[in-house]
Amino acid sequence: MSGPRPSSSVSIFLADSLVRAFVWMVTRLFYPLRVRGLENVPRQRGVLLVSNHVSFVDWILLTAAAERPVRFLISKEFYESPWLKPFVRVARVIPIPSGIRPHEVTLALQRCGDAIQNGDIVCVFAEGGITRTGRLMPFQRGFEKIMALVARVSRPCAAPETDDAAERKITDGTSVPLIIPVALAGVWGSIFSFAGGKFFWKWPRQLRRLVTVNFGRPLPPAATVDLVRAAVEKLLSKN
């Protein structure tokens, strides 16, 4: 007769510990981090990180920088990949299918909203793919839908917040869903980026790359695509 199964909280703790051990090894050996603006990331409540997307290791860098478990929204194609699936399942990522299945897309966005409501950090790469040029691409509107779902549940009749109100609540302890813009710099040129028109199959220019992760000031849940993209672009200009 088998013994009792570990509780879900214990399983999550063990999974997070395994992910963090892997992340620690990668960042110490190959991608030392310079983290700015970490004080903008709440220690406990749920938030949405909106980041640029430069390489296939961005999730590792953001997980290390945030100092909290981060759940990522990723393409279902990558989620189902045999060589990636063991890692992404442990990391509790949220798969999203292609846009030709709108009902499943809506369910994935709802899962993101539920995770934020439950106090998790969720991260989306709003460009919808890895940059092929090293430059910031246009943002897609998926994260707007996520925050609309969150706001509908948490405050169905409330008016949209101002930037100042959102920033005050990050310091006074009031629970409110926030958007945190994030900029990754220094990753372009690595073998895991598309620098040189190739992914992975190229000689690395250097074995260790100093990467900067810049967390911006919190934005209100109703922040638009243009506002959030401008915030990420401004953070990139500081690196």
Side-chain angles (χ1 to χ4, degrees):
M1 186 174 183
S2 61
R5 294 183 178 181
S7 67
S8 59
S9 60
V10 172
S11 299
I12 290 173
F13 174 78
L14 293 174
D16 289 339
S17 298
L18 181 60
V19 170
R20 289 219 158 265
F22 174 70
V23 164
W24 183 89
M25 180 184 68
V26 172
T27 53
R28 291 302 183 279
L29 292 177
F30 304 110
Y31 294 99
L33 294 179
R34 176 171 55 196
V35 182
R36 295 172 176 165
L38 185 59
E39 67 276 6
N40 293 320
V41 181
R43 290 295 181 183
Q44 293 184 331
R45 75 182 73 116
V47 296
L48 180 69
L49 304 181
V50 180
S51 176
N52 61 320
H53 203 3
V54 190
S55 77
F56 282 92
V57 295
D58 292 349
W59 71 275
I60 296 176
L61 306 174
L62 289 169
T63 298
E67 296 186 356
R68 278 184 61 187
V70 181
R71 301 186 66 181
F72 292 88
L73 184 68
I74 71 166
S75 166
K76 193 171 184 179
E77 177 185 358
F78 289 106
Y79 181 84
E80 297 292 347
S81 172
W83 61 281
L84 275 179
K85 195 166 186 176
F87 296 100
V88 297
R89 289 190 60 147
V90 167
R92 299 193 302 137
V93 304
I94 300 171
I96 185 168
S98 64
I100 61 175
R101 287 175 285 183
H103 177 66
E104 292 185 35
V105 170
T106 299
L107 289 177
L109 298 180
Q110 182 65 63
R111 286 185 64 195
C112 291
D114 291 344
I116 294 170
Q117 284 287 344
N118 291 333
D120 290 342
I121 291 184
V122 174
C123 179
V124 300
F125 297 110
E127 295 162 282
I130 297 174
T131 178
R132 265 51 173 183
T133 64
R135 297 183 179 181
L136 191 65
M137 298 187 294
F139 278 13
Q140 299 184 8
R141 296 189 175 275
F143 73 85
E144 287 183 333
K145 297 176 182 178
I146 293 171
M147 297 310 288
L149 291 168
V150 172
R152 189 181 306 163
V153 172
S154 59
R155 296 179 304 157
C157 299
E161 285 188 311
T162 63
D163 292 8
D164 290 340
E167 190 167 0
R168 283 197 302 272
K169 287 188 175 183
I170 197 174
T171 58
D172 69 11
T174 307
S175 178
V176 61
L178 299 167
I179 296 175
I180 307 293
V182 189
L184 282 164
V187 194
W188 181 253
S190 78
I191 62 172
F192 296 105
S193 71
F194 281 99
K198 297 179 180 179
F199 159 69
F200 193 75
W201 299 109
K202 54 180 177 277
W203 287 105
R205 298 177 183 177
Q206 54 193 90
L207 289 178
R208 284 171 59 86
R209 304 186 67 87
L210 176 63
V211 172
T212 300
V213 181
N214 201 339
F215 296 99
R217 294 167 61 183
L219 299 173
T224 64
V225 162
D226 291 338
L227 179 62
V228 177
R229 187 183 184 279
V232 173
E233 196 166 31
K234 185 177 181 180
L235 293 171
L236 287 170
S237 70
K238 294 181 179 179
N239 295 309

